[in-house]
Each structure stands twice: as structure tokens, then as C-alpha cells.
Amino acid sequence: MSLGRGYSSPLWPHLAVRVSTAYFHTDYPPLVTIRRVAVIGAGTMGSGIAQVCAQTGWETRLFDAFPESLEKGMRNIDEFWERGISKGKTSSQQKEEWSGNLMAAGEMSVAVEGSDIVIEAVPERIDLKRTIFSQLESIAPSNAVLATNTSSLPISQIASHTGCPERVIGMHFFNPVPLMQLLEIVRHELVHESTISTAKEVGEAMGKTTILVRDVPGFATSRLGVVLGNEAIRMLAEGVASASDIDTAMRLGYRHPMGPLELTDLVGLDVRRDILNSLAEAFDDDSYRPHQLLDKMVESGDLGKKTGRGIYDWTSGEKRER
Ligand SMILES: NC(=O)c1ccc[n+]([C@@H]2O[C@H](COP(=O)([O-])OP(=O)(O)OC[C@H]3O[C@@H](n4cnc5c(N)ncnc54)[C@H](O)[C@@H]3O)[C@@H](O)[C@H]2O)c1
């Protein structure tokens, strides 16, 4: 068995990402040493994933189809690091090093060139993700792992749309990526074991605790999370209690670190609506459908913290009841 040279992270030097090539009879799995990562989609999740990859010491390229979103994603990362400096959690020198690892790519082909792993974080729409993966199959290196950060879509439905399902995998990060400990790795029937081990090692090098979950709609996390959030919105619409009282109920009554409505604002109302719709379709069960208040807010552009208004008003920088 031959081993890659391995990479030591400046943050977690004890971890080396090293993937063995135990299978000599095919071109896949290849000898993989993670050096370069591409992240597709520079929104809430993509920018967080790219940030942590850059901090891990990998050459990281971030791409978004919309230049203004790419700019915003890069700005958010920069501001996160600046806040870290002002709080004394990191140094300017460290930030400079991390910034040097990160590049905004104007073209997807530039982003994925030479990459060992591509992590996709575009909106939760199966058609869009399939299109991206078809493109990735032809433009990314033939040995690159192709990961999707989908919160709910069946990985098999994305993987089977490519000619290389064995290297497609779910890597479900949580928001905000730099702070959240969990990485849910989702395996589908055609994935190669070495793709799973690469995803796990990449996650661990990024400082995450990984769990391995079967490819069922909503996996182990999103299904429970969105149902709770949707029910909280229904209760808000029914006037059961104010948004902050519903949130306080779960924080103090059930020890949730954050209430379900505030969490919905943090995740993005559009993201949660998309997940609910995809669960309703996957399970053929309308009880998963988003409440009409959620639909209405998404249609009026109130998407949560990222747009300044959602269940709460965030325009002052603080959470305010609407
Ligand atoms: N927001 C969360 O809390 C959260 C948590 C876990 C997983 N996810 C999943 O992560 C994915 C992204 O979610 P998000 O919250 O970051 O969404 P977002 O809307 O914040 O970001 C999506 C980004 O993708 C870009 N984009 C759209 N079409 C594109 C294309 N064709 N090519 C490249 N970029 C494109 C958009 O411009 C946008 O910047 C979704 O699958 C979502 O379900 C979200």
C-alpha cells in the first residue's frame, strides 16, 4: 500500500490528510494528498467552507456565478478574520497567511483546475446541482472528490447524473462553518470507500467531528431541524406567542442553544423552504410543506439575517422583534 505525502495543517498540525491507495486495479481511487480545494458558491456556506479550508492551509479557490456574491463572500471572510484580530483571537500575520491561501476565481474552470476536492454550495435545487456536477465531471481533475453541501437532496440523485458516482459524496457542513463542530458525511450506494475516507479526513483536518449517515432525505440533521422551525413559524402565525417567546421556550425549556426562529433567520428562510419542499416531495408527504407565512416571507425577500429581515429585524445589527 502506498501513502500520499500527507499535509499538516498549521491549525491542527497533528492531523495529516493522507489517503491510501488500497485498490490497484482501477484508476480510482487515486493517490490523494489534499493541496488544493475548490468551493463552488460563495454564499453563507460556501464562504464559510472556503474560509476554513484556507485556514487549514489548503490553496483554496472560491467561485460564484454572480460577481457581486463572490465579492460579498470574500468580504465576509475578510471581516471575520478582522474581527478575530480585534478580539485578539488571531494575528495580522496569521490573517495574511490565510488570505494568501484564498483566491476568488471568476470562472469555475479556474477554480477547479488542479483541485483535489471540490465542494459545491449553490442553492438547494436539484436541477442546479446536477448541472454543476455535470460540468465538474468534465472540468475537474479526474481524481478529484466531488462533494455537495446539500442539506436535504438525495446524493444519489446528484451522483447518478454523472459518469463518476463513486467520487461524489455529501459533505454537509453547518452554519456558521468556522464555528460549528459537526460535519455530516452522507454516503450513497455507489460511493467508493476511499471517497468516504477522504471526506472524513478532510473534515477532521478542518477541525470537524464527522458523522456518517445513509442517503435518506434530510439525513440525520435537516429533517429534525426544519420540522421544528416550520412548526415554530406555524405557531407564530397562529399567535401562540411572540417570536422571542417561542425561541425562549426552546432555549430555556429544552436547553437549545438558539431558538428555532432565530436559527431559521440564521440559516436563511429560502434555504429552509427549499429543504421542506424537497422533503415533501421525497417522502410524498405534504405535512413537510413550508407554512404559508414562510412562503410569503421568502417571496417578499425577507430571507433572514443575510437580507437584514426575516422572522426578526436585523437591520440595526441586533435582533429585534418585528
Ligand atoms: N444556510 C445554511 O445554514 C446551510 C447549512 C447547511 C447546508 N446548506 C446548504 O448549502 C447550500 C448553499 O446554501 P447557502 O445558505 O450558502 O445559500 P446562499 O444562497 O447563501 O449561497 C448560494 C450561492 O450560490 C451562488 N450560485 C447560484 N447559482 C450558482 C451557480 N450556477 N454557480 C455558482 N454559484 C452559484 C449564489 O450566487 C450564492 O452566492 C444549499 O445546498 C443549502 O441547502 C445551507
Side-chain angles (χ1 to χ4, degrees), residues 11-277:
L11 286 186
W12 299 281
H14 58 290
L15 284 172
V17 173
R18 208 159 53 172
V19 178
S20 70
T21 49
Y23 307 85
F24 297 108
H25 55 282
T26 59
D27 287 345
Y28 194 85
L31 188 70
V32 176
T33 302
I34 302 296
R35 287 195 194 88
R36 189 180 284 180
V37 181
V39 180
I40 310 302
T44 310
M45 297 305 291
S47 59
I49 294 166
Q51 175 186 330
V52 180
C53 288
Q55 289 174 196
T56 305
W58 295 320
E59 195 185 318
T60 306
R61 295 179 175 190
L62 180 60
F63 167 75
D64 197 286
F66 301 91
E68 62 282 8
S69 302
L70 183 55
E71 230 168 80
K72 188 173 167 204
M74 294 292 285
R75 201 169 50 244
N76 285 345
I77 297 171
D78 195 74
E79 286 170 4
F80 192 105
W81 286 336
E82 281 298 331
R83 276 197 304 278
I85 295 171
S86 61
K87 287 180 186 164
K89 289 185 175 173
T90 189
S91 63
S92 310
Q93 194 192 353
Q94 181 71 89
K95 183 197 158 195
E96 215 169 288
E97 198 181 301
W98 290 340
S99 302
N101 293 337
L102 182 65
M103 185 186 118
E107 301 285 335
M108 192 155 81
S109 56
V110 173
V112 304
E113 194 189 349
S115 54
D116 303 301
I117 180 165
V118 182
I119 306 175
E120 164 277 313
V122 303
E124 190 79 338
R125 295 202 313 271
I126 189 78
D127 53 335
L128 179 60
K129 295 202 189 261
R130 280 176 160 173
T131 306
I132 300 271
F133 275 77
S134 295
Q135 290 169 331
L136 290 177
E137 185 186 359
S138 54
I139 60 176
S142 62
N143 58 359
V145 165
L146 307 178
T148 172
N149 184 50
T150 178
S151 326
S152 64
L153 299 171
I155 311 301
S156 59
Q157 285 185 20
I158 299 169
S160 62
H161 207 66
T162 70
C164 54
E166 70 282 358
R167 57 191 177 108
V168 176
I169 192 159
M171 286 179 76
H172 182 201
F173 290 89
F174 290 79
N175 183 17
V177 182
L179 306 181
M180 296 296 278
Q181 182 87 42
L182 184 66
L183 170 63
E184 187 175 38
I185 295 175
V186 187
R187 63 177 307 157
H188 59 96
E189 295 215 327
L190 298 176
V191 73
H192 199 288
E193 286 302 320
S194 90
T195 306
I196 299 171
S197 56
T198 301
K200 188 169 157 45
E201 291 183 55
V202 164
E204 285 169 359
M206 291 170 77
K208 307 299 176 199
T209 299
T210 63
I211 57 169
L212 185 60
V213 180
R214 238 173 13 94
D215 190 22
V216 289
F219 320 131
T221 50
S222 302
R223 187 161 150 192
L224 284 174
V226 295
V227 167
L228 187 63
N230 202 30
E231 201 54 35
I233 290 172
R234 190 189 321 278
M235 287 164 59
L236 181 66
E238 287 172 358
V240 173
S242 66
S244 56
D245 280 353
I246 292 171
D247 276 347
T248 302
M250 296 313 286
R251 280 195 296 106
L252 302 188
Y254 286 81
R255 286 195 173 213
H256 287 200
M258 184 185 287
L261 296 170
E262 183 174 355
L263 184 59
T264 300
D265 268 359
L266 183 68
V267 170
L269 275 67
D270 52 336
V271 174
R272 288 216 139 173
R273 180 179 74 160
D274 289 346
I275 297 172
L276 285 159
N277 278 324

